[in-house]
Amino acid sequence: MTEVTHGYETSPWELRWRGMDVDALQRSESTFALSNGHIGLRGTLEEAEPRGLPGTYLNGFYEQHELAYAETGYGNPEAGETVINVTDGKIIRLLVEDEPLDMRYGAATKHNRVLDFRSGTLARTTEWTSPTGRRVRVHTERLVSFTQRAVAAIRYEVEPLDDDLQLVVQSDLLANEPIESDTSDPRVAAALESPLVSEFAASTDYQAVLVHRARTSGLRMAAAMDHKIEVNDGLRARIHAEDDLARLTVAVDVPKGQRLRITKFLAYGWSAQRSIPALRAQVEAALAGARQTGWKGLLAEQRKFLDEFWATADVEIDGDLELQQATRFALFHLLQAGARGESRAIPGKGLTGPGYDGHAFWDTETFVLPVLTYTIPDAARDALRWRHTTLDKARERAVQLGLKGAAFPWRSISGAECSAYWPAGTGAFHVSADISDAVVRYLAATSDTDFDRECGTEILLETARLWSSLGHHDAHGGFRIDGVTGPDEYSAVADNNVYTNLMAQRNLRAAADATERNPDIAARFDVTAAETADWRKAADAMVIPYDEELGVHPQSEGFTRHAEWDYASCTPGHYPLLLNFPYFDLYRKQVIKQADLVLALHLCGDSFTAEEKARNFAYYEARTVRDSSLSAATQAVIAAETGHLDLAYDYVAEAALTDLHDVHNNVRNGLHMASLAGAWMGTVAGFGGLRDHGGKLSFAPRLPSQLDRIAFRLCLRGSRVEVEILDLEATYRVLEGRSVEITHHGEPVTIGEEPITLPIPAFETPLPVHQPPGRAPVRRGTARIQAGVGPDQTPE
């Protein structure tokens, strides 16, 4: 019997929901979203109502609005950017003998929806009885094409179950769809109210095109639809187009035992520069290609693309059915977020909802790109190419702040900073080091010399110039970086944040290496030998605070001398703390929103000894409240490395199930891409022990007691590698490509086509750790897991 948790059936390769729950639509519309990185369609019903939060998004298409400040200040960004719900082409309304199919009326005797991770489709089957007793079966299937970037398609079938019926179908393109905004900022709400201005509308036969521009940003987009109609008897059809609506209406009498089938092809495109005729031509050409391929051809292309992806990216987990499903769900959505984004960013919510205003953050480079680098490296490259296209804006921001080089934004769609919260938008300089770190990791994993010369070296040298101008040598010769905000958002504007300083240190050294590797590029950007020498000098002298008395690294200078937070007096209702306590109080106490120093233990792990990692993890575990979805994955990785495998297991599950369990009660606004990446990170970097320090690949696999086996695949320097972990041993082999040099628990190994099985050494008893009262992760009981039943959501 299939178990159901939080509304979803547990299944290894699909996400299925049976029955109709109107109250759950907003969150299931996010989890059932389809995307290819360019187009995003939320999982709303084809009939458009009932609905939670409709959404159709084009990556990089946004509206501008004024940012609000209680007091003005030099350097504050002036304009915000917000993702727009563009023209909705998902709508296909059905009338059965003049009665609209609406799941709130009549009776749905059968209704289920399934997102298939292997076919890349969202399917739905409904048997509905109208209020006057007419019965129909509706089956729909939709996809957003991975192979034809501008194309989406829907197959819509209706079958009378009892009698001959007159059916009327209305297929729409609808712009400026009314949506209730849940933003508290009236400027944003105003920007989102009818943001599209009509510029062109046309229709002919079964095809229509609408062109709009965003009212303030001026960006122009086009949406087009075409249809293939299959029915045994004659039909009447009419199409028309106006400013914000194009509609094809089809009326047909369908006998019992026969069916009406409509295939709807959609095409989308946008540009900041192309004309109305050019955009119209673009989407009409995309439609022509989709019609030529046909529905079956699109399905076949989609399946082939995904077969190739899973052959490189799959993660197998034996012993926890729910975690297996959640991990593949996570990988599928990460693929959807980045596969065809190409010259655009990967937003924090992907294209699954309007959360975070559609902005991209450092989450992309630090959490999402490691997954893509080792599973679909072309997508990682394209995301970094987008950062490269925004270098001029990052240079402008640095000049505005009185600095050299490039200061990348905390949050953005276009590449311009649009955070109105200056401790992050100005103070979180670590973003530039995070981007450079992603460049270095990508180059080490792929040996992509073209990217190195075209983009990578320039990013590295400009971010190195930022650190060189931001920091300074003190009287003792140390290189200090003062007054910055690290990853932890419950600390701000601190001196010598350890994570920031270590990442800047790596940035400086990587830039020096890159310019020496590519002297012609260094000369093009006027990098001299003296400048690279200064970078190395700063890196070698970087101040890394250490508390000798406690034997730990303070998160930032002086952090361990702050007063302790009164955790014991906090009830579950006090979390997240930022909604119940002033930042002033949080900033001066030892309380941590998300892993900061612990993230340094992961990404800069070769800068710490094993003993330092154990002590640091124990110290910060007791002070981290995980009010951010970014935290659990990092805590999972270091918990596993320091021997706390059961705790790591709990954290991996929290990261993987954040959206399926709606842990933070905000999935209605879209999925958490970084937390989804945490499912992979906790499994592969945590239990697999994957590290890539200095470009050298190493593994230190260990299996938690609750699991029987983990196997994962990676793309390493053009080769496809599989790692299998059992209780006492691990097996490595190259599935395709050349041999690869790695280390296994510190021992050098060359792996090839013949499997190599190596023992897993015993682990010494780890230092005891505990979390703040009430903030331990949810424990996962073995009996419940094997039955496919999820844990309770009450933290211990």
Side-chain angles (χ1 to χ4, degrees), residues 190-264:
L192 295 179
E193 185 176 350
S194 299
L196 297 173
V197 178
S198 175
E199 294 190 315
F200 178 83
S203 62
T204 182
D205 298 327
Y206 297 155
Q207 183 174 318
V209 181
L210 298 181
V211 180
H212 289 80
R213 62 174 171 81
R215 190 176 302 276
T216 304
S217 70
L219 301 179
R220 177 174 287 128
M221 59 84 51
M225 66 177 181
D226 200 355
H227 302 80
K228 179 181 179 181
I229 304 173
E230 301 173 65
V231 65
N232 288 341
D233 295 324
L235 60 87
R236 294 176 62 86
R238 175 181 178 270
I239 193 166
H240 76 283
E242 54 195 64
D243 286 353
D244 289 344
L245 174 67
R247 171 172 292 165
L248 171 68
T249 301
V250 175
V252 61
D253 294 322
V254 181
K256 177 185 175 183
Q258 297 185 23
R259 67 186 62 186
L260 167 65
R261 176 184 294 155
I262 297 177
T263 304
K264 182 176 186 178

Side-chain angles (χ1 to χ4, degrees), residues 67 75-81 393 397 400 407-412 414-421 424-426 431:
L67 287 175
N76 286 342
E78 296 179 358
E81 299 169 348
K393 292 181 179 179
R397 181 64 174 159
Q400 188 179 32
F408 283 99
W410 170 253
R411 60 189 302 165
S412 182
S414 70
E417 179 62 72
C418 42
S419 171
Y421 183 58
T426 299
V431 177

Side-chain angles (χ1 to χ4, degrees), residues 284-536:
E284 287 180 344
L287 276 184
R291 282 295 304 262
Q292 172 68 20
T293 305
W295 173 254
K296 291 182 179 179
L298 289 172
L299 284 178
E301 289 180 355
Q302 196 85 335
R303 181 61 184 244
K304 183 175 184 292
F305 185 95
L306 283 161
D307 284 347
E308 293 173 356
F309 171 71
W310 291 115
T312 299
D314 193 23
V315 174
E316 299 176 20
I317 298 174
D318 294 349
D320 188 334
L321 300 178
E322 186 185 32
L323 186 58
Q324 173 68 89
Q325 178 189 44
T327 302
R328 286 189 175 131
F329 169 82
L331 283 166
F332 178 72
H333 272 290
L334 291 172
L335 172 69
Q336 291 200 129
R340 299 302 305 274
E342 296 171 0
S343 60
R344 303 297 168 196
I346 298 177
K349 295 285 191 180
L351 298 177
T352 66
Y356 304 138
D357 288 326
H359 293 165
F361 296 78
W362 67 289
D363 308 15
T364 297
E365 283 74 23
T366 301
F367 295 90
V368 176
L369 290 199
V371 184
L372 299 181
T373 293
Y374 288 108
T375 58
I376 182 167
D378 287 355
R381 177 203 61 209
D382 290 343
L384 291 170
R385 284 188 183 278
W386 172 75
R387 287 292 192 184
H388 182 260
T389 66
T390 68
L391 260 174
D392 284 345
K393 292 181 179 179
R395 291 187 183 101
E396 291 171 4
R397 181 64 174 159
V399 170
Q400 188 179 32
L401 298 176
L403 300 169
K404 297 178 181 178
F408 283 99
W410 170 253
R411 60 189 302 165
S412 182
I413 296 177
S414 70
E417 179 62 72
C418 42
S419 171
Y421 183 58
W422 75 266
T426 299
F429 288 100
H430 69 85
V431 177
S432 293
D434 300 327
I435 293 167
S436 74
D437 183 66
V439 168
V440 171
R441 293 179 192 276
Y442 170 77
L443 291 174
T446 64
S447 302
D448 187 344
T449 55
D450 289 342
F451 174 82
D452 183 26
R453 292 185 55 78
E454 294 168 7
C455 304
T457 295
E458 186 181 357
I459 292 173
L460 292 172
L461 71 89
E462 292 291 21
T463 47
R465 283 171 165 166
L466 174 76
W467 299 115
S468 186
S469 64
L470 181 63
H472 71 281
H473 291 274
D474 61 20
H476 305 289
F479 189 79
R480 301 178 58 88
I481 302 176
D482 293 335
V484 299
T485 300
D488 171 34
E489 296 167 17
Y490 286 170
S491 302
V493 197
D495 296 342
N496 294 310
N497 173 260
V498 170
Y499 173 84
T500 301
N501 284 21
L502 284 174
M503 294 290 281
Q505 181 184 62
R506 289 165 185 267
N507 192 166
L508 290 161
R509 289 173 175 162
D513 291 343
T515 53
E516 291 168 4
R517 186 169 63 244
N518 298 302
D520 56 325
I521 297 174
R524 189 193 315 161
F525 291 97
D526 300 320
V527 178
T528 64
E531 186 174 17
T532 58
D534 286 343
W535 293 345
R536 293 193 187 277

Side-chain angles (χ1 to χ4, degrees), residues 14 67 103 197 258 308 465 479 544 626 705 724 796:
E14 64 182 32
L67 287 175
M103 301 290 284
V197 178
Q258 297 185 23
E308 293 173 356
R465 283 171 165 166
F479 189 79
I544 308 298
R626 295 192 332 285
S705 60
E724 182 181 44
E796 295 179 6

Side-chain angles (χ1 to χ4, degrees), residues 366-367 595 598-603 605 613 617 621 630-645 647-652 655 677-691 693 700 763:
T366 301
F367 295 90
V598 175
L599 184 59
L601 301 180
H602 176 200
L603 299 185
K613 289 179 183 178
F617 180 68
E621 187 71 358
L630 296 181
S631 198
T634 298
Q635 289 173 270
V637 171
I638 301 305
E641 183 176 355
T642 55
H644 300 279
L645 293 174
L647 178 61
Y649 177 60
D650 295 336
Y651 280 138
V652 169
W680 182 94
M681 186 177 293
T683 303
V684 175
F687 300 132
L690 171 66
R691 299 292 186 275
H693 301 316
F763 204 103

